[in-house]
Amino acid sequence: MLSVSDAQAIILNLVQPLDLQRDREVVNLLTADSRILATPVTSPLDFPHWDNSAMDGYAVRYEDVQHSSTEQPAILEIVEEIPAGYQPKSTIQPGQAARIFTGAVIPAGADTVVMQEKTHREENRVFILDVPKPQGFVRRKASFYQAGTQLLPAGIKLNASEIAVLAAAQCRQLSVYRRPRVAIFSTGDELVTVDQPLQPGQIVDSNQYALAALVRQSGAEPLILGIVKDDPVALEKVIAHAIAIADIVLSSGGVSVGDYDYVDKILESLQAKIHIQAVQISPGKPLTVATFPTQNSALYFGLPGNPAAVLVTFWRFVLPAIKKLSGITEGWEPLFLKVRSHDELRSDGKRETYLWGKLHLIDGVYEFHKAGGSHSSGNLINLAQTNALAVLPVGKTLISPQEQVQVLQLSNR
Ligand code: AMP
Ligand code: MG
């Protein structure tokens, strides 16, 4: 059976990122948070825009103060006061200084700022009590960024720090990739919606809601197609519609080997190329991944029906695919942390096993606490309030308390 890492490689290889020309839109900076930049940004502004002071103090000529000390201070005449936001008028001559404040423009003639703590003032004279560093506390024009060079590359996610940079550069509108469209439906005769009365033998379709939340948190747009009966005709209709409207299709259920598991057969009848049918992972073994070479570039994930398997396979396989599709240029793969396990973790060793739990910070070190209750893939109750998955590789049957374990941090919570 296909290993988890081989399955991930196959999936990422199948993903065609959104198209730079066709799949972009313009958004305002205020709504650009978490979007993916589609074109590199350059700015016509230098950073800093001009030489400015990093301190409250006095702008001086270094040669005037290079021998200063408490005993023999240089004494300079203050010729101007320059608050932030003002253009200095004077040129500092030998023997002169300007009172200056943080962020204010360095006046012509001055090359160094002496912090006010190292000075003593008497009316319009300042006594320099210490030798500053040559050019000290001067932020040079363009020393942080040179106008016309690349400020931000394409393919990055815009978080608060990037938004701040773009605001400082007065980039009001940005070209970003459109959100990936992810169609979601559930299969099963036993399923009802949250609004329908539950009859004996029925269960509520929780997967649809879980997947919609996961897709939205990933930055993509969920297209919710509802519940489809275990009926080949109905299924074929929905799958054909889904692949026509979405970049990625997520179905849950119907991919196992039961008599009512029709998804793979219908994919074949739609001339799909099936790349994956099972992965050595627990929970989540029956996982179908298909493309439709004769139709379009949609990527189909037939996820298992079990609620825990849906979440685990989404985090492990679907999320990296959405990231790559979204235009992000790197960092698609999940990030695993090595942490200490608080509990004994067990697996039968046959499949890469994911156990849900919670990361706690103990004296600054992460510790994994396995969720109490059943870790059956049919149980979703104890998944609530978890924020990490511990991973036992194939062949590893036991991790003892205090031993190290790899965990997948579920950052989107
Ligand atoms: P299946 O893969 O279709 O055989 O489903 C496996 C198990 O997951 C069955 O016990 C189903 O009842 C359950 N299941 C399937 N789909 C869903 C769903 N959308 N929400 C919650 N549980 C589901
Ligand atoms: Mg089913």
Side-chain angles (χ1 to χ4, degrees), residues 185-188 190-192 201-209 211 227 230 252-258 260-261 286 303-308 310 377-378 380:
F185 63 93
S186 299
T187 71
E190 75 277 34
L191 302 177
V192 296
Q202 296 186 322
I203 58 164
V204 179
D205 167 25
S206 59
N207 290 343
Q208 184 119 221
Y209 295 86
L211 287 171
I227 298 168
D230 290 319
S252 72
V255 287
S256 206
V257 292
Y260 298 94
D261 294 330
L303 305 179
N306 281 311
V310 164
S377 61
L380 65 78

Side-chain angles (χ1 to χ4, degrees), residues 266-340:
I266 290 162
L267 290 173
E268 275 162 22
S269 75
L270 288 169
Q271 294 172 313
K273 183 164 171 19
I274 296 186
H275 303 269
I276 294 176
Q277 270 183 310
V279 181
Q280 205 173 10
I281 186 171
S282 170
K285 180 173 84 168
L287 172 75
T288 294
V289 177
T291 53
F292 304 85
T294 57
Q295 308 198 33
N296 56 30
S297 59
L299 179 60
Y300 189 99
F301 285 90
L303 305 179
N306 281 311
V310 164
L311 289 161
V312 168
T313 50
F314 182 93
W315 283 315
R316 191 63 189 83
F317 299 118
V318 181
L319 188 55
I322 292 178
K323 284 187 185 163
K324 182 172 180 189
L325 192 121
S326 72
I328 294 179
T329 40
E330 55 185 17
W332 312 310
E333 292 87 355
L335 293 177
F336 291 93
L337 302 175
K338 267 195 195 132
V339 307
R340 185 172 68 204

Side-chain angles (χ1 to χ4, degrees), residues 2 6-7 22 51 57 65 111-112 123 164 168 195 206 219 229 262 268 270 282 296-298 314 318 349 352 374:
L2 203 59
D6 286 351
R22 209 179 46 228
D51 291 354
V65 299
D111 54 20
T112 298
E123 292 174 352
D195 303 310
S206 59
K229 294 275 182 209
Y262 294 120
E268 275 162 22
L270 288 169
S282 170
N296 56 30
S297 59
F314 182 93
V318 181
E352 191 168 303
S374 166

Side-chain angles (χ1 to χ4, degrees), residues 71-362:
E71 294 75 31
Q72 292 210 303
I75 303 171
L76 305 173
E77 181 199 359
I78 302 167
V79 294
E80 190 177 358
E81 179 161 313
I82 315 167
Y86 289 89
Q87 179 68 35
K89 292 177 189 66
S90 36
T91 297
I92 304 301
Q93 307 292 341
Q96 294 184 338
R99 178 72 169 124
I100 197 162
F101 298 93
T102 305
V105 179
I106 304 285
D111 54 20
T112 298
V113 170
V114 182
M115 62 197 291
Q116 71 188 31
E117 290 85 341
K118 299 284 166 70
T119 65
H120 167 74
R121 180 163 180 176
E122 283 180 15
E123 292 174 352
N124 74 334
R125 291 187 311 165
V126 61
F127 295 65
I128 308 296
L129 306 178
D130 200 3
V131 185
K133 282 207 187 88
Q135 316 212 1
F137 299 124
V138 175
R139 298 177 187 141
R140 284 264 163 240
K141 176 176 155 76
S143 62
F144 302 160
Y145 167 79
Q146 246 181 352
T149 59
Q150 182 173 284
L151 186 61
L152 292 178
I156 59 166
K157 191 169 179 179
L158 299 176
N159 292 319
S161 45
E162 290 77 25
I163 301 271
V165 169
L166 291 164
Q170 292 189 315
C171 296
R172 286 169 290 264
Q173 300 217 300
L174 299 158
S175 172
V176 298
Y177 285 99
R178 70 167 169 82
R179 293 182 191 280
R181 289 190 273 268
V182 182
I184 301 167
F185 63 93
S186 299
T187 71
D189 286 350
E190 75 277 34
L191 302 177
V192 296
T193 71
V194 292
D195 303 310
Q196 290 167 322
L198 207 56
Q199 304 297 334
Q202 296 186 322
I203 58 164
V204 179
D205 167 25
S206 59
N207 290 343
Q208 184 119 221
Y209 295 86
L211 287 171
L214 290 164
V215 165
R216 215 171 273 124
Q217 286 168 3
S218 77
E221 177 190 355
L223 308 172
I224 296 165
L225 302 184
I227 298 168
V228 186
K229 294 275 182 209
D230 290 319
D231 162 33
V233 177
L235 264 173
E236 178 163 337
K237 214 172 131 195
V238 172
I239 294 177
H241 173 59
I243 62 174
I245 61 169
D247 304 300
I248 290 180
V249 178
L250 305 177
S251 65
S252 72
V255 287
S256 206
V257 292
D259 290 351
Y260 298 94
D261 294 330
Y262 294 120
V263 170
D264 287 12
K265 288 173 211 117
I266 290 162
L267 290 173
E268 275 162 22
S269 75
L270 288 169
Q271 294 172 313
K273 183 164 171 19
I274 296 186
H275 303 269
I276 294 176
Q277 270 183 310
V279 181
Q280 205 173 10
I281 186 171
S282 170
K285 180 173 84 168
L287 172 75
T288 294
V289 177
T291 53
F292 304 85
T294 57
Q295 308 198 33
N296 56 30
S297 59
L299 179 60
Y300 189 99
F301 285 90
L303 305 179
N306 281 311
V310 164
L311 289 161
V312 168
T313 50
F314 182 93
W315 283 315
R316 191 63 189 83
F317 299 118
V318 181
L319 188 55
I322 292 178
K323 284 187 185 163
K324 182 172 180 189
L325 192 121
S326 72
I328 294 179
T329 40
E330 55 185 17
W332 312 310
E333 292 87 355
L335 293 177
F336 291 93
L337 302 175
K338 267 195 195 132
V339 307
R340 185 172 68 204
S341 182
H342 175 265
D343 301 305
E344 183 176 283
L345 307 176
R346 283 193 176 274
S347 144
D348 64 9
K350 294 190 182 123
R351 291 182 271 155
E352 191 168 303
T353 299
Y354 288 68
L355 296 170
W356 42 100
K358 198 158 185 172
L359 282 176
H360 289 279
L361 258 186
I362 314 279

